[in-house]
Amino acid sequence: MTFNEQLITIGMGILGVQLFRWLPFWIFPANRPIPEYIRYLGKVLPAAMFGMLIIYCYKNVDITSGYHGAPDFIAGAVVLGLHFWKKNMFLSMAVGTLLYMVLVQNVFV
């Protein structure tokens, strides 16, 4: 890539990010009520997204060989327990990821 192509690529990336950050404020201004359908999506989509994430995380676990998915299920149980205890999504995901990496790299070698 030439220098001009790099500048154009960076500029397009910046424009794309900014466009999608401003778009909701243009479509739904503060002086108009948010449509009920959009409110409904705001309530159900986070749970659906995490449901899909859980399926994605466990889709390749093979319980018939090796450690039978033990690091995956241990880390998942810790995430679940920590989230119910602290009610902090970032904390539970960070601790679960860290625990999973420790288990995979040090314990279940």
Side-chain angles (χ1 to χ4, degrees):
M1 261 188 172
T2 66
F3 181 71
N4 286 337
E5 290 173 337
Q6 290 176 352
L7 284 178
I8 291 170
T9 302
I10 292 169
M12 295 297 287
I14 291 170
L15 286 174
V17 167
Q18 291 305 310
L19 172 70
F20 285 106
R21 285 183 181 230
W22 295 337
L23 194 61
F25 297 105
W26 290 337
I27 294 174
F28 307 112
N31 58 357
R32 286 189 358 210
I34 297 175
E36 282 301 315
Y37 184 69
I38 302 299
R39 288 180 189 265
Y40 169 74
L41 289 177
K43 288 181 182 178
V44 299
L45 281 181
M49 181 181 65
F50 276 101
M52 287 176 47
L53 181 62
I54 290 168
I55 291 170
Y56 178 77
C57 288
Y58 288 116
K59 72 179 171 79
N60 291 327
V61 173
D62 186 12
I63 59 172
T64 61
S65 67
Y67 293 106
H68 309 291
D72 303 275
F73 294 120
I74 292 169
V78 167
V79 167
L80 194 62
L82 192 58
H83 185 70
F84 282 134
W85 178 40
K86 290 291 187 179
K87 305 270 192 258
N88 186 332
M89 195 175 302
F90 176 75
L91 176 68
S92 57
M93 287 191 309
V95 169
T97 302
L98 182 67
L99 176 64
Y100 175 76
M101 296 311 284
V102 167
L103 289 174
V104 168
Q105 293 179 7
N106 297 326
V107 178
F108 295 100
V109 180

